[in-house]
């Protein structure tokens, strides 16, 4: 089945720093989605990507759909304390129907 | 609030008991998904409905699990004869009718199940 490798597993940064995390897939994806999850809550959709090479921003967040269609990255600029949480990449390919495959998450800690 | 809602938010049960969870998707979303998430992991797909039809089921969905979406609106997930390994967060998501392959899934707050 499809597998997603997400890195890094955790990050500890100072407020104001930029952050970058990425995901790689064992197979070609048609869709990449990035979510943020707070403790005890469901994932919240941040950015959706549908075309290879697509670069999309949502405020301080920027994500790109890799041109090989097997990777994606998420950047957060000028981090603030409320950016703390777990960030998940997710996606699906041509053979996976509508089910999303999730990465294992990146735990982000922002020190004020 | 017009987001995905789930009930209950928390459920504690004894091993062997049956439990049922409810999900109300975003209005007019015809697709509904169930995922399971254990601590430290990303959500794992369980099953998917388009309107009232259950179109996909994961191998994770053993015969003790059953999901329904009888009128194409809300959905229920039932676990029979619960086991301690069923302890997890059960997440529901919905998405609108796909346009050009779009599949933005919006998640509810989840139901945290603890099996003692």
């Amino acid at each position: 089945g499809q597998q997603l490798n997400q890195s890094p597993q955790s990050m500890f940064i100072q407020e104001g720093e930029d952050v970058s995390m990425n995901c790689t897939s064992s197979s070609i994806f048609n869709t990449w989605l990035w979510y943020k999850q707070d403790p005890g809550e469901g994932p919240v959709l941040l950015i959706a990507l549908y075309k290879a090479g697509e670069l999309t921003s949502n405020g301080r967040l920027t994500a790109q759909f890799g041109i090989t269609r097997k990777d994606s990255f998420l950047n957060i600029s000028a981090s603030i304390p409320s950016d703390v949480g777990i960030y998940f990449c997710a996606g699906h390919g041509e053979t996976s129907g509508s089910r999303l495959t999730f990465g294992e998450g990146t735990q982000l800690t922002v020190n004020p | 609030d017009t987001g995905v809602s789930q009930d209950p938010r928390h459920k504690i049960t004894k091993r062997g008991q049956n439990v049922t969870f409810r999900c109300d998707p975003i209005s007019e979303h015809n697709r509904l998904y169930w995922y399971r998430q254990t601590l430290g992991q990303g959500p794992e797909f369980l099953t998917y409905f388009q309107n009232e039809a259950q179109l996909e089921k994961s191998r994770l969905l053993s015969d003790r699990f059953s999901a329904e979406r009888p009128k194409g609106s809300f959905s229920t997930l039932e676990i029979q004869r619960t086991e301690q390994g069923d302890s997890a967060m059960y997440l529901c998501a919905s998405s609108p009718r796909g346009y050009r392959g779009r599949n933005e899934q919006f998640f509810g707050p989840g139901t945290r199940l603890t099996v003692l």
Side-chain angles (χ1 to χ4, degrees), chain A residues 1 30-31 33 35 37 40-45 48 50 54 88 92 96-105, chain B residues 9 31 33 35 37 40-45 48 56-58 89 91 101-110:
Chain A
N30 292 332
T31 299
L33 305 172
Y35 289 88
Q37 187 173 29
E41 299 295 330
V44 174
L45 181 63
Y50 296 100
E54 180 180 359
F88 288 100
H92 72 83
S96 59
S98 294
R99 65 174 66 188
L100 290 178
T101 298
F102 279 79
E104 293 188 344
Chain B
R9 293 291 309 274
R31 300 179 179 189
Y33 312 80
Y35 291 82
Q37 186 178 26
Q41 301 295 318
E44 294 177 294
F45 172 81
Y48 153 59
E56 288 185 63
K57 290 170 62 174
S58 163
M89 174 81 92
L91 294 162
R102 294 183 180 273
N103 186 21
E104 298 171 8
Q105 296 185 19
F106 298 88
F107 283 82

Side-chain angles (χ1 to χ4, degrees), chain A residues 34-79:
Chain A
W34 284 92
Y35 289 88
K36 178 176 183 277
Q37 187 173 29
D38 292 328
E41 299 295 330
V44 174
L45 181 63
L46 300 173
I47 292 179
L49 302 160
Y50 296 100
K51 289 175 59 176
E54 180 180 359
L55 186 71
T56 297
S57 293
N58 178 8
R60 293 177 296 106
L61 278 61
T62 302
Q64 185 161 27
F65 193 137
I67 57 174
T68 65
R69 298 172 65 191
K70 290 186 175 183
D71 60 350
S72 178
F73 72 77
L74 175 71
N75 283 346
I76 305 173
S77 63
S79 58

Side-chain angles (χ1 to χ4, degrees), chain B:
Chain B
D1 184 46
T2 57
V4 177
S5 61
Q6 293 187 244
D7 183 68
R9 293 291 309 274
H10 304 274
K11 179 69 176 179
I12 299 174
T13 190
K14 293 183 179 179
R15 188 177 55 186
Q17 298 294 306
N18 299 342
V19 295
T20 299
F21 309 140
R22 176 180 170 124
C23 171
D24 287 88
I26 294 172
S27 299
E28 299 176 358
H29 278 192
N30 68 329
R31 300 179 179 189
L32 186 148
Y33 312 80
W34 286 98
Y35 291 82
R36 182 173 70 185
Q37 186 178 26
T38 54
L39 200 61
Q41 301 295 318
E44 294 177 294
F45 172 81
L46 292 178
T47 190
Y48 153 59
F49 290 85
Q50 184 165 307
N51 299 313
E52 65 275 9
Q54 189 173 18
L55 298 185
E56 288 185 63
K57 290 170 62 174
S58 163
R59 284 175 293 179
L60 292 175
L61 213 66
S62 75
D63 55 4
R64 296 185 297 106
F65 288 68
S66 63
E68 294 183 342
R69 194 183 183 198
K71 296 183 179 179
S73 56
F74 73 91
S75 175
T76 58
L77 177 69
E78 180 183 17
I79 309 175
Q80 296 181 329
R81 305 181 303 281
T82 53
E83 302 172 355
Q84 288 184 325
D86 296 331
S87 296
M89 174 81 92
Y90 289 84
L91 294 162
C92 176
S94 70
S95 68
R97 184 183 307 275
Y99 173 69
R100 292 184 179 178
R102 294 183 180 273
N103 186 21
E104 298 171 8
Q105 296 185 19
F106 298 88
F107 283 82
T111 295
R112 168 72 65 188
L113 173 66
T114 302
V115 182
L116 303 176

